[in-house]
Each structure stands twice: as structure tokens, then as C-alpha cells.
Amino acid sequence: MSLPAKDSRSLLLEKLRRFSRPASPLSEPPPKNDTAQPGRAPQIAVREAVNEETISQLAQELKRLGAELRYVAGLENLSAAILQLGRESHYKRIAVGADPILKEANLATGLQNFQDFKLILSDRTPTPANQIREALSKCQLGITGCDAVIAETATMVLSHAGFGGRSISLLPECHVVVAYRAQVFISLDDWMNSQSFTRATLPSCTTFITGPSRTADIEKVLVTGVHGPLRLVLMLVQGGD
Amino acid sequence: MITGPIKFKEAARRNLAAQDLRENLRRATSHSTTLRLKAVSAVPEWEDLRSEAHAIKKEAIDHLAEYLERFESQATEAGCKVYWAETASQAAEYVVNVCRQKGASLVVKAKSMTSEEMELNTALEGASIQPVETDLGEFIVQLAGETPSHITAPALHKSRTQIGKLFSEKLGMNFSDDPKELTRAARAILREKFMDAGIGITGVNFAVAETGSLVLITNEGNGRMCTTLPRTHIALMGIEKVIPRFDDLRVFLKLLARSSTGQKLTSYVTILNGPREARETDGPEELHVVILDNGRSQLLAHPHTREALYCIRCGACLNVCPVYQRVGGHSYGWVYPGPIGSVITPELQGISQAQELPFASSLCGHCSAVCPVKIDLHHMLLWLRKSAVDSALTSRGERWIIKLFAATMKRPGLYRWSGMLGWMVQRILAPRGKGLRVPCWSAGRDFPPLPKKSFHQLWEEGEIN
Amino acid sequence: MRIHLFVPCLVDQFYPGVAVAMCRVLKKLGVEYAYLTDQTCCGQPAFNSGYHREATELAERFLKVFEPAETVVAPSGSCVSMVKIFYPQLELSPAGKRTLERLGPRLFEFSDFLVRELRVVDVGAQFRGKVTYHDSCHLLRELKIEEQPRQLIRNVHGLEFVEMDDMQTCCGFGGTFAVKFPEISTAMGTDKAAAIERTGADAVVANDSSCLMQIAGILSRRKSRVVPMHLAELLAQGI
Ligand code: SF4
């Protein structure tokens, strides 16, 4: 493949420089220490004291988006909650990510009796990518944790590195996000203020999920469930602080 | 590439007469403007956000070379391969080459107006590579063999019945005009394509210089599919997509979805930093970023229209434009319709190719009032009109009329005399108490009758006290 | 207070009644007015068509004619914005620039002059009937005048005010746009007329004779019973 890559690059930059202003101190992004946090471990943000008002705003917003909210009294009740959801909706195949919160809930044991098929992902098993994806595409339920939940917009922040990847929250029919109550932030600003974003700390993929996938491409009629999940459930676990 | 000057007037007349198109446009644009207004009114600091976004874009565009280089180095550091293309065909060639090199025969695409500029689908097909549009609207448009008529809602010109017919014809399914059923059908077909495709191609909403991040704003999840399943991801961006800092996203995320669909946030905001890492189980192994100029750098040189590069492609200016609402996107002759199209098409394709566009506006200014980055669109149209006149692109007849007009207005005596002359002509030609029949006016409207005496006469005769 | 009238060419030639009505209202309010008889056109048609050379000549002329004036009032948002917003974009002579700098801030659109300068919202007018108001684009978006006309209309005795759908949507006139793209222009005007008729109003009021020319032209073609009226004409009712 022979491409004139360098040529078009320098030609283009030359053109741009002609009409760009010269560098000014203002234009330098504020210096960030790229090596401050080695590795790209996703930062699990944990915040204290979330009040009832915030939670009820979150509930309202989720409802508006056509997403669901279920409260779970404690981590020990999580598998029961998931089993119930599975039974209600006749889901037969389930995939569980390798997020710490899910491991801690010991879902591997808790979901033992799940109907037909369960796929417990681990960040250590080097399963070939295409096998995982085939399996995930057949699952009706995909369970993940998240970095944070934003009440104002009912957004869940997921950084996918390692914990079952990007597919588990995308391919199954229904995506269940498990979060501690203490992971709820009031606004996106609020959450962003608690983080530092540098090239070194940002994982390869971060997704803000706000409701199930949707479209209005046909006569502006809102249809939920296009390519991504048809259904989105947030399981909010008491505690975490 | 457009071949020969865009014939807006002709196309507009045709589209204006198509009743079903009018209805489809009316329904879609009024729906979007209502949702937008509701979402925007709920944000008290809206005007401040607009100013802030304008300032950030100004900073980015003022130092474009620097920020793009910074983006390039950060993205490269994260493992991306960055390619700079001066022209659309260079960019298309690069993409085709990557596909060939990967041995891909199937490509899944998320919505990207930049790829429309590149006429990428034609280029891929020419190389025996099948491109599949996966955004529902784009999928519909591709099935119909058309081009998008709106930058965020590509199939807005079609009704559910038309789409139902199209699906039953092209996909062999039973006719249905239920949007949900049609959407599910597309989901099933495209799910397989996602699984099989070797390459995913997407656009880019924001490219962050500070961190080398690519930000994608989507609703359907097809953007996520394209950046999760295929082994190679190619992201296409115009040079104007760069923003300085990660933190700037706060502002744009608040503005974009509200302006475009009236949502607080779209279903998905995807932030990509390089391809997958070794320990990850999915995501592309290679991530190519194509930075496209295609005439944009010329805009930099034009002080009056330079700010058009601030555009974040929200589509709000199209939705509120009374002209777009009636003639639809295809009348504008190239990729970008509506007010922003009328500004950038003449700039990117040359004013001589699109000289009718700047005039196709009543200058109502609604576009500028809604633009989330405060682009002064309708005033830019005025500058482009000047540039059409300066390049002698307006008709000889018009130039003559304007000269005559100015000459008359410079001579009060002549001005008054022509007023009286008009009144006399009217007395002879028009029925009593009625106005004249005036070409280019009277087909659908009555022309006002000239009064016997002008204000000037009344004043001179002392009838005003 | 003493002002100079700026009577745009369209008003002078087609709608002198609008300027006469404006004079009547001003007189009632004790404002003295003078009229510089050499005035013609502000140059907007040339400017909007892209002919800056011709527009500049007419702008220079306008500024020279209005040199003696201190405060100027015009019954048109469009022509006022031409002077206030667009003249500064032209390459004017130093003398022209000086006059513009002095006069610009003292040039008022009629409703704005009454409400913000004279601080009058009730001129004592009377009108029996239902009235709706169309926001002219230049008035609304260039000059940001939205409330003033509404306040004045609401305070007319015996009048019932009603807003129409999409009151801030363009009527489709747009200067030369109306003749360059007559089909689109008429389609816009037709929707506007329909919105006006849906209110059941007896009269539709606007602040720009150009919009009224379009609206009236369409209403008359539709044989509508709604009467188009300039704000000045409404405010002169019964005084
Ligand atoms: S010009 Fe402004 S309103 Fe129009 S698409 Fe671009 S950002 Fe949106």
C-alpha cells in the first residue's frame, strides 16, 4: 500500500497554518500529567451521601426514557433480583460481566439455577473474541456494573476495558446495570469534576448510556430498541459507601 | 463532487409541488422544532452555553493547525493511525486501500456526512466491497438508492407507507407501515451484517486534542456496533471537528442533543481512545482516523464565513428554516442542505457552482437564533450574495435593474416622478381599486394598489398637520 | 420632544396611510415631528441583493439627508435594522461614519420609540375586535423587539388580543426573495395566512409594511375577511 500520507499531511497543515493564528498561551491545553495514574484501570467513582431527591429524579428520568429501575436491598440480594427478572421475562440465557461489584455479589453461585444457559465472564479467561460475541448475541440478558450513574439525565457511565468488554452491554436484548446507590452523581458536571481525564487514564472505550437504544427515523415515531438493547434496567444496590 | 451548477430553483419548484413530500417535511420539522424548544426552555443558562461553545470553537478554529497536530500526536500515542486527506477522493482512496489490505468484502457504516462528501459508497462498490449503511434512516435511503435529505434525519422526506413499500419490495417482507415492525426488521438484517463485517466506518462528532479521544454521539447503537465488532474501525472527520480540551465536552454535550432531537443526552455517547488493548476481548484491533479538508481550509481564509467551521451538525437550522421546511434537503443539490448548506456548499464547491443558494432565503434569521454555536448564518448569506455579485454571477438584467434603482433613489425628483408614473400605469391597466398584475408576484398574491398620493405629496400639500 | 420622520420608500409609495397614522399618534402624544423631503430609500434592496456599491451610495445619501436630525423614528423594523445593523458593514466615508455613530443610537422603530423612549403603552386608541400580531423577522431577530408592540396592542381599548400559531415564523416576503422565489415565498405566506385565519381574528397587525404587503396580498387572494393593519394604523384608531 503506497500512500502519499506525509505529503497530504504537510500540504494540509501548511494551508491551515497560513490561516491559523500563531500559538498563544491561551491555546495550550492546561498541562496534565499523563503519567500520574499508570495503567488504564477504570476509575470507579464512589461518592458519599446521595439524598432521596436525587434518587427520585433519577427514577423519574429513567421512566421518561423507557428504562427501568429496581432497588436491591443489599449485594446479597442481587442474584435473587436478577433471577426474578429472568423469570418474569422468560429470559433463558444470561451473561454476567467481570465487574468487581458482580464478582463480589458472587453471581456465579447465585445464578447457578438460571434456566438454560449462563455465561460468566472473567477478565482472566482468554476466550477468543468471536466466540464470546456469538455467545453474547444469543443472550437475552447482559449484566454489567458501571463507573457512575448520573441522576439528572439518567446516564450510566461504563468504561469497558476488561470487564466483559463492550459487547456485553450492547448485544443482549436486555442490559442490566448494577450500581451502588453511592455511585449516583447529581449531574454529569458533578461526575466529571470528580475525575481527571488524560490520555493515559482514559480507557480505550467509555460509553455514556442514557436509556435503551432508540430511533425516530420513521415519521418521527419513537421506537426503542434498534441495534443496541431493547431494554435497559438499572439495579440500584443499597450501600457502597 | 457536483457536476455543473446546482439548480436549486428548478429542484425547489419540483419538490414544492410534491404534496406528500410537503407533508412529510412539515410533520418531521415541526416535531423536531417543538421538542427542541421544550428542551431548550428547560435550561436557564442556554444563552451562556451557546456563547461558551462559540468561544471554544473559535479557539479551536483560530489555532486549527496546532490543535489538529496535538490531536494527531495524542491519538497516535493511543495507537490510532492518522491519515490527512486534502481532497475527498484522497480520503476515499485511503479507506478503500485499508479495506483491501484487510481483505474485507463487507463494511458496516454508521451515519457520517463526511463519507457522503467522499462518495465513499460508490468508491467501495467500485472496489467490489459492499458498504452497508446501518443508521436506520441511512439504511432506508441506501435501499431506495437516494441520498440523505437531512444531516441528522436522513430519511425524513419519506412517509411510513413509502418505507413500508420499499421494505417489502427490496427485502421481501410482508408490507407493514408500523415503524416498530420496520425497525425490528432492519435490526434483524443488520445484526448479521455487524457480525460479519470486517470493517466499521463511522463519523466523528468531536475529536479532543488534549487526549486524542474520538467522541461519537448516537441513538440507535449502530455506532457502538461499528466500533465494537469489526476488527478494523475507520473514523472519518472534517478538520473542524477538533476541540481543545476533554472538559469542553461538557458544554457540547449539553447543547448537541437538545438542539438536534430535544433529548438531554442521546442514548449513547461513545468516547474512544485508541484501538482495543491487549487484555480486551472486543473492540477493533486497528483504528484509523481520516482527517479531511475537502475545501474547508478555504473557509479559514474568509473572515465573514469562517465561523461556519464552528458547526456541530445538529440540524436545528434545517428544522426551523421555512425554506427547508418546504423544499426539502434534496433541493440544495449537495450533501449539506438548509441554511448551513447554503453557506458551506458555495464555499466548499465554489460560488459559481452554487450561486443560487445564498439567495434562497428570506433572511428571517431563525437559523442563527437557534444555532447552538451561534453561527451568524443568515448574515453570512448576505456576504455570499455580495461575493456572487462581485464575481459577476448575477444576471445582466438584475444588475441593470439595481443600477436603475440606485440611480432613481439618488434623485428625489426622479423617484417621485416614477411613483406618479406607476400610478398612471395602474390607472390604465388595472381594474379600479385594484393593484397591477406584476410578474413574479401576482401568480399567488395580489399586488397592492398604489395610492393616488404618496406621503411626500401629502406632506408637501400640507395635508399632514 | 422633537423628532424627524423616516418614511421608508415602500411606505411612502404604497402605504402613506401608515405614516399619516404614525404622525397622528405622535401628535396625540405631544411629539413634534419634521420631515426631510429629500429622503428616498435606505438602500436595503441593493444591500440584500449583494450590491454593496449601490447600497453604499444610498447609505451615504441617507446619512447626508438625515445629517440635521437628532432623533429619528420610522414605522419599519426592516429599514431601521438596515441602518443600525447593516450600515456598519459597509465601507462608509468618514463623514458618513460620524453621522451613523451619532444617529444610529437615536434611530428608533416606532413601537420601540413609544414604549422605551416615551414610556407610553396606552396611547388611548380604541378598537372593537379581535387582533393577532405577526412578528416581523427584522424587528424580532435583528432589533430584538418582541414585547413592545404586544404591550401597545394589549392596551388598545375594546381590543381582544390573540396569539397565532408560529407567530415568529417568517411571512415569506424577504425582499427580493419574494420575486426571485415566488413559489416558495407564496407557500410561506399561505401558511402564515392560514395561521392568522385560524385565530378567528378580525385584524392582523404587523410592524413592517413589507410583511403587510405579503400578508395582505395573500389574504386578499384568499378573499379573507381578516384586515391587515400596521401597528400605527391600529394605534391611530379612535384618536
Ligand atoms: S449551523 Fe448551527 S444550527 Fe446549523 S447544523 Fe450547524 S451547529 Fe446546528
Side-chain angles (χ1 to χ4, degrees), chain B residues 405-426:
Chain B
F405 163 80
T408 309
M409 291 304 183
K410 275 191 279 185
R411 297 168 182 80
L414 184 59
Y415 161 69
R416 269 167 235 142
W417 178 81
S418 37
M420 287 186 284
L421 182 71
W423 188 77
M424 267 150 30
V425 172
Q426 171 180 291

Side-chain angles (χ1 to χ4, degrees), chain A residues 8-9 17 21 27 133 137 166-167 169 189 193 204 206 208 210 214-215 217 219 225-228, chain B residues 62 66-67 69 72 84 134 137 160 184 187 219-220 224 227 229 250 254 267 269 271 273 280 282:
Chain A
S8 57
R9 178 183 188 275
R17 273 200 205 95
R21 309 251 160 84
S27 66
R133 133 202 324 191
S137 202
R166 311 174 187 190
S167 319
S169 58
D189 280 343
N193 288 338
S204 71
T206 309
F208 300 168
T210 308
R214 60 189 242 160
T215 188
D217 271 350
E219 284 197 3
V226 194
H227 301 298
Chain B
D62 278 354
E66 198 184 328
Y67 281 128
E69 274 187 287
E72 179 193 35
W84 303 66
T134 61
R160 61 173 86 188
R184 290 289 189 268
R187 174 185 166 102
N219 265 316
E220 298 183 357
R224 291 184 68 199
T227 57
L229 299 178
R250 298 168 194 251
K254 280 179 202 143
S267 302
V269 174
I271 302 167
N273 264 64
E280 291 178 61
D282 53 13

Side-chain angles (χ1 to χ4, degrees), chain C residues 42-194:
Chain C
C42 62
Q44 184 172 203
F47 180 78
N48 280 358
S49 304
Y51 294 82
H52 281 219
R53 196 155 59 96
E54 286 78 2
T56 310
E57 287 168 11
L58 292 176
E60 292 284 1
R61 187 176 180 280
F62 177 94
L63 292 168
K64 215 191 245 139
V65 169
F66 279 90
E67 227 308 307
E70 214 171 84
T71 301
V72 181
V73 180
S76 159
S78 185
C79 304
V80 169
S81 45
M82 178 64 204
V83 177
K84 279 171 109 90
I85 313 281
F86 298 111
Y87 274 13
Q89 295 182 8
L90 296 170
E91 281 173 34
L92 297 171
S93 66
K97 268 196 193 128
R98 268 197 306 278
T99 313
L100 180 59
E101 261 161 43
R102 179 178 58 77
L103 207 56
R106 296 298 302 164
L107 168 61
F108 294 94
E109 183 279 327
F110 176 58
S111 71
D112 192 37
F113 179 71
L114 295 190
V115 175
R116 286 202 316 155
E117 192 65 11
L118 298 185
R119 309 202 165 273
V120 173
V121 289
D122 181 357
V123 300
Q126 304 216 1
F127 184 82
R128 293 218 149 272
K130 213 179 197 186
V131 169
T132 189
Y133 174 72
H134 162 70
D135 284 280
S136 297
C137 300
H138 277 121
L139 198 71
L140 176 69
R141 300 202 183 88
E142 304 293 351
L143 299 177
K144 322 265 182 242
I145 295 176
E146 184 176 358
E147 269 312 307
Q148 296 89 317
R150 288 185 166 78
Q151 278 173 290
L152 290 162
I153 295 172
R154 282 210 184 87
N155 281 296
V156 172
H157 301 259
L159 178 148
E160 184 194 343
F161 180 66
V162 50
E163 292 279 11
M164 67 175 98
D165 296 335
D166 304 322
M167 60 279 194
Q168 302 194 333
T169 296
C170 179
C171 68
F173 180 71
T176 49
F177 172 78
V179 289
K180 279 195 172 182
F181 300 92
E183 295 90 353
I184 305 174
S185 169
T186 307
M188 286 162 68
T190 304
D191 291 346
K192 177 55 71 179

Side-chain angles (χ1 to χ4, degrees), chain B residues 151 311-318 340 367 370-373 375 377:
Chain B
I151 58 177
C311 175
I312 56 173
R313 307 274 188 263
C314 74
C317 61
L318 282 63
I340 183 67
C367 48
V370 298
C371 176
V373 285
I375 302 175
L377 291 156

Side-chain angles (χ1 to χ4, degrees), chain A residues 133-148:
Chain A
R133 133 202 324 191
E134 287 299 331
L136 281 176
S137 202
K138 293 196 183 97
C139 285
Q140 289 129 342
L141 207 47
I143 306 190
T144 72
C146 69
D147 293 6

Side-chain angles (χ1 to χ4, degrees), chain B residues 13 326 359 362 364 378-379 385 394 398 409-410 412 415-416 419 442-443 445-446 451 454-456 465, chain C residues 12-13 16 33 37 40 48 51-52 57 61 137 141-142 170 178 180-181 183 185 191 214 217 220-221:
Chain B
R13 197 174 293 146
R326 286 170 182 82
F359 293 92
S362 66
C364 75
H378 70 299
H379 289 170
R385 290 179 183 191
T394 52
E398 180 184 303
M409 291 304 183
K410 275 191 279 185
Y415 161 69
R416 269 167 235 142
S442 299
R445 308 162 274 201
D446 291 338
S454 69
F455 180 79
H456 182 270
N465 36 52
Chain C
D12 180 42
Q13 291 294 323
Y33 47 84
T37 53
T40 58
N48 280 358
Y51 294 82
H52 281 219
E57 287 168 11
R61 187 176 180 280
C137 300
R141 300 202 183 88
E142 304 293 351
C170 179
K180 279 195 172 182
F181 300 92
E183 295 90 353
S185 169
D191 291 346
Q214 162 89 344
S220 135
R221 185 60 63 92

